[in-house]
Amino acid sequence: MTMTPIRWGILGAADFARRFMGPAIHAAKGAELYALATSSPAKAAHFADFAPHVIVHDSYDALLADPAVDAVYIPLPNHLHVDWSLKALAAGKHVLCEKPMGLAAADYDRLIAARDAAGLLAAEAFMIVHHPQFARARALYAQGAIGKLMHVDATFTYNNADDVTNIRNRPETAGGALRDIGVYTFGAARFVTGQEPDAITYADLRLENDVDVFAQIAARFPDFTYSAIVSMRMHPRQQITFHGDKGILRLTCPFNANVFDMAQLTLETDGTSTISERWPGVNHYIVQVENFGHTLRGTARYPCALEFSRGTQAMMDMVFTAGARR
């Protein structure tokens, strides 16, 4: 049985959309990259290279007014996410918006209310939870594979110091390391354990041009402690480790699978590696689009509801508050 593809539109010809999410939508089963909104013919041409039939609208509003568009992907700068997500929902489009979808927990309350009023699917593009390594990690944790969890340690760093015009380095576009990559270190721990932080016990935020470029964080969860380092000024590194009293569960490429390195999970008990699993062929962007489609068709529950994303933002709010007091 052939299913009618979900016709996607993209608001803006962002580099990330061109390199990752545009091709993912084009490649995903049950999806079609139908339309793009950009006033730049040169940028549109890059999308036509892999999706030659894509329709180009010269404004975001024109794309939202296109009745043929079923769902909208929003890769705009952070400070524009809430407004354009709300506009898309008001236009009757399902929404997948880049993270962070909002800049404070209250933003997610507005988005959830708009989603419910419209009866549409709206979600943050938190792609890592769609990767099978996280489903596997969560299952192993739930099975007690590492015993009682004592501590979670996460790291995500890269260096864009030379790219001063990058939106991540600009306060007016709500840049910063925490909003760009801290969400992954927070959300990954929450997704695997199902727990929320009780308190941020330490937060060292270092700013350049009013943007956080380094953050060292400690938190207390109900059953374990947590620490993380995120930075836009350090050599690239990423990992997350779940340390229990009977074992260690480690993801060595949890956030940029098959870009930074191959996705790999290891489980160590009694000083030996008892499990080592790899996923060389999984593209979590494609899986994210396909999961979105499964949910729209009513065949599966979406893995990352807005309520989950609100929880990550609530932790982010706690970190900013703790960092300001320091």
Side-chain angles (χ1 to χ4, degrees):
M1 181 178 177
T2 302
M3 55 184 170
T4 302
I6 293 163
R7 292 164 296 191
W8 284 83
I10 301 178
L11 293 189
D15 182 65
F16 184 83
R18 176 183 64 82
R19 295 171 57 207
F20 296 105
M21 278 301 294
I25 293 170
H26 182 67
K29 295 177 182 177
E32 176 187 353
L33 180 50
Y34 175 82
L36 171 72
T38 179
S39 59
S40 169
K43 290 182 178 180
H46 292 304
F47 288 79
D49 286 343
F50 60 83
H53 301 296
V54 66
I55 293 172
V56 180
H57 293 287
D58 62 4
S59 72
Y60 304 158
D61 287 316
L63 186 147
L64 294 183
D66 187 338
V69 173
D70 301 312
V72 172
Y73 168 64
I74 302 176
L76 301 173
N78 294 344
H79 69 297
L80 300 175
H81 288 175
V82 173
D83 286 348
W84 282 104
S85 292
L86 293 173
K87 289 177 182 178
L89 287 168
K93 312 301 184 186
H94 302 285
V95 174
L96 181 64
C97 179
E98 268 308 318
K99 52 77 201 160
M101 198 170 179
L103 302 180
D107 290 335
Y108 289 85
D109 294 333
R110 295 171 60 201
L111 292 164
I112 289 168
R115 175 203 66 187
D116 293 347
L120 299 167
L121 176 58
E124 186 174 74
F126 195 62
M127 76 291 184
I128 66 169
V129 300
H130 299 270
H131 196 287
Q133 67 176 327
F134 275 98
R136 181 65 169 144
R138 184 162 64 170
L140 287 169
Y141 166 77
Q143 294 164 13
I146 59 172
K148 176 177 173 54
L149 178 61
M150 307 297 291
H151 185 72
V152 176
D153 174 73
T155 309
F156 196 179
T157 62
Y158 65 89
N159 192 339
N160 70 351
D162 294 334
D163 192 2
V164 294
T165 63
N166 191 294
I167 58 173
R168 296 162 185 83
N169 284 320
R170 293 162 51 190
E172 68 272 19
T173 53
L178 284 168
R179 289 185 173 125
D180 186 41
I181 54 179
V183 291
Y184 295 121
T185 64
F186 299 168
R190 295 178 53 252
F191 182 79
V192 170
T193 67
Q195 295 192 29
E196 304 294 343
D198 291 327
I200 304 301
T201 56
Y202 179 83
D204 178 13
L205 277 55
R206 303 176 194 174
L207 306 182
E208 293 179 13
N209 188 35
D210 292 327
V211 167
D212 60 284
V213 299
F214 171 92
Q216 183 177 9
I217 302 137
R220 185 177 62 250
F221 282 71
D223 294 337
F224 60 92
T225 56
Y226 169 92
S227 62
I229 289 178
V230 298
S231 179
M232 303 190 300
R233 296 295 184 268
M234 298 172 71
H235 186 76
R237 183 185 178 215
Q238 57 181 264
Q239 65 82 34
I240 187 166
T241 301
F242 301 85
H243 197 155
D245 63 352
K246 295 181 180 178
I248 297 173
L249 177 63
R250 181 180 295 111
L251 304 181
T252 58
C253 182
F255 309 130
N256 289 129
N258 297 325
V259 176
F260 174 77
D261 201 353
M262 183 185 300
Q264 179 172 307
L265 174 152
T266 61
L267 172 65
E268 299 175 9
T269 57
D270 299 325
T272 61
S273 176
T274 58
I275 289 179
S276 180
E277 300 180 16
R278 297 181 177 186
W279 293 266
V282 175
N283 182 316
H284 51 193
Y285 300 111
I286 293 176
V287 178
Q288 176 178 240
V289 174
E290 291 179 346
N291 283 342
F292 199 94
H294 293 325
T295 301
L296 291 188
R297 295 185 177 91
T299 58
R301 184 178 180 180
Y302 197 66
C304 188
L306 276 181
E307 286 80 359
F308 175 85
S309 298
R310 186 196 185 282
T312 298
Q313 184 61 54
M315 184 173 177
M316 183 84 64
D317 293 349
M318 293 168 66
V319 169
F320 278 123
T321 299
R325 287 198 303 259
R326 190 174 183 274

